[in-house]
Amino acid sequence: MSEQPPLEGLWTPVRTADGSFTLAHPVHGEACHSRAGAWEESRLRYARACRLAERARGERVLRVLDIGTGLGLNLAAALESVRGTSCRLEVLTLELERGVIEAALQLLERERAALEAELAREWSEALALLAAALRDPAGRAQGASVALRLMLGDARKTLPSAPEETFDAVFLDAFSPGVEPELWSAAFLREVARGMAPGSLLSTYSASTAVRAGLRAAGLRVGQGGRVGTKASGTLASPDLALEPFPPRLERRIDRRAEELRGEF
Ligand SMILES: C[S@@+](CC[C@H](N)C(=O)[O-])C[C@H]1O[C@@H](n2cnc3c(N)ncnc32)[C@H](O)[C@@H]1O
């Protein structure tokens, strides 16, 4: 899809096939979303896979851990999921680079008129919250149905510094293990698993055996996430919910790798 001149911090805007935008990293060039559709990915891979809309009808509060804030599109999809319900979201969002949020703010300003109305509304709300959180010394912002906390820095450090927090949904959306392996390490996945409440769900676009094994070694049930765009499957994890199993040979491969990882702990 089409690339445009860079924004804040040299993040490059990319228009994706569903008309929404993503940003490509200034150094390694990987895009924050699938070029087949950034907004579609946020809605289906994260908000819908974590069953937020369905759970919002029966819960007063849903606590979301958003790993890799980026452009705030996954946050926007989470906000959309609780709209029209009395459920409130409490979101902890973790981002290494302030510049990506600033680039997203510039991008929305520049492209608002080119966006589908629903996306423009949801993304504006998410980015207004993130902008308020950037201005707040404690990184906090409030909306009508959301309390947001933004922690800037390496998630391997910021997440353990919020040990009191537990979550009903986790969006694990780091750059791919090939370019940025840090947030896919078995040690970080253990830290994420530690914060997952009973009944919680984690979703990620990664279908890597090593990532699936890392989640299993962290004590989670791990299953197959559905097709989104051109990506045939992702990964779901939960401390206790039944998930769609992998084909038997792949199950055995994940089990063997998880066993090796447990031996390394
Ligand atoms: C794939 S993008 C996330 C897209 C985002 N979820 C969205 O909805 O727009 C990955 C994000 O993770 C951030 N990131 C990379 N390494 C990180 C780290 N160690 N700690 C926290 N965030 C990190 C990147 O700066 C980038 O914004």
Side-chain angles (χ1 to χ4, degrees):
M1 289 273 94
S2 59
E3 296 212 355
Q4 302 178 357
L7 298 160
E8 179 69 33
L10 300 180
W11 290 82
T12 304
V14 180
R15 187 141 207 202
T16 71
D18 66 359
S20 63
F21 286 84
T22 188
L23 290 169
H25 190 273
V27 178
H28 55 63
E30 189 167 295
C32 278
H33 299 88
S34 159
R35 290 171 191 243
W39 181 225
E40 179 188 58
E41 184 180 20
S42 293
R43 281 170 144 175
L44 301 186
R45 180 67 73 207
Y46 296 98
R48 191 193 285 176
C50 289
R51 304 178 198 159
L52 289 186
E54 184 184 321
R55 294 158 81 198
R57 291 195 287 273
E59 301 284 344
R60 212 172 41 81
V61 175
L62 285 172
R63 298 156 300 171
V64 177
L65 173 61
D66 178 31
I67 302 172
T69 313
L71 295 83
L73 279 178
N74 293 354
L75 172 63
L79 292 171
E80 179 187 49
S81 303
V82 302
R83 207 167 285 292
T85 73
S86 53
C87 180
R88 185 172 165 73
L89 284 182
E90 291 177 2
V91 183
L92 174 63
T93 186
L94 309 178
E95 174 54 54
L96 182 64
E97 301 202 36
R98 181 185 184 101
V100 66
I101 302 172
E102 290 168 345
L105 284 159
Q106 283 181 0
L107 181 60
L108 173 64
E109 206 48 48
R110 201 169 81 184
E111 301 292 348
R112 188 187 300 271
L115 298 175
E116 173 223 322
E118 208 171 25
L119 167 59
R121 187 181 64 239
E122 302 297 349
W123 195 24
S124 300
E125 182 177 345
L127 280 176
L129 283 163
L130 289 169
L134 282 178
R135 290 190 300 270
D136 183 63
R140 292 184 188 271
Q142 298 280 341
S145 57
V146 57
L148 181 84
R149 181 176 180 199
L150 166 66
M151 294 180 89
L152 287 175
D154 187 333
R156 291 173 299 171
K157 294 216 168 70
T158 53
L159 183 58
S161 72
E164 75 287 0
E165 308 237 16
T166 54
F167 305 98
D168 304 302
V170 179
F171 302 161
L172 178 55
D173 193 15
F175 284 118
S176 68
V179 296
E180 290 192 0
E182 297 80 4
L183 300 188
W184 306 101
S185 69
F188 182 70
L189 297 178
R190 264 205 326 274
E191 185 61 37
V192 172
R194 192 195 51 71
M196 289 179 69
S200 63
L201 273 167
L202 172 152
S203 182
T204 179
Y205 69 89
S206 175
S208 135
T209 300
V211 169
R212 290 169 167 174
L215 292 164
R216 190 165 283 177
L220 298 172
R221 294 182 176 194
V222 184
Q224 190 144 276
R227 167 179 287 279
V228 175
T230 52
K231 179 102 183 168
S233 72
T235 302
L236 293 170
S238 171
D240 48 4
L241 298 181
L243 302 171
E244 186 186 330
F246 301 106
R249 276 181 58 182
L250 181 52
E251 280 288 349
R252 288 195 292 277
R253 194 139 49 91
I254 296 168
D255 264 342
R256 276 199 302 276
R257 184 75 190 108
E259 206 42 56
E260 287 165 14
L261 287 171
R262 280 192 207 101
E264 292 167 17
F265 288 168

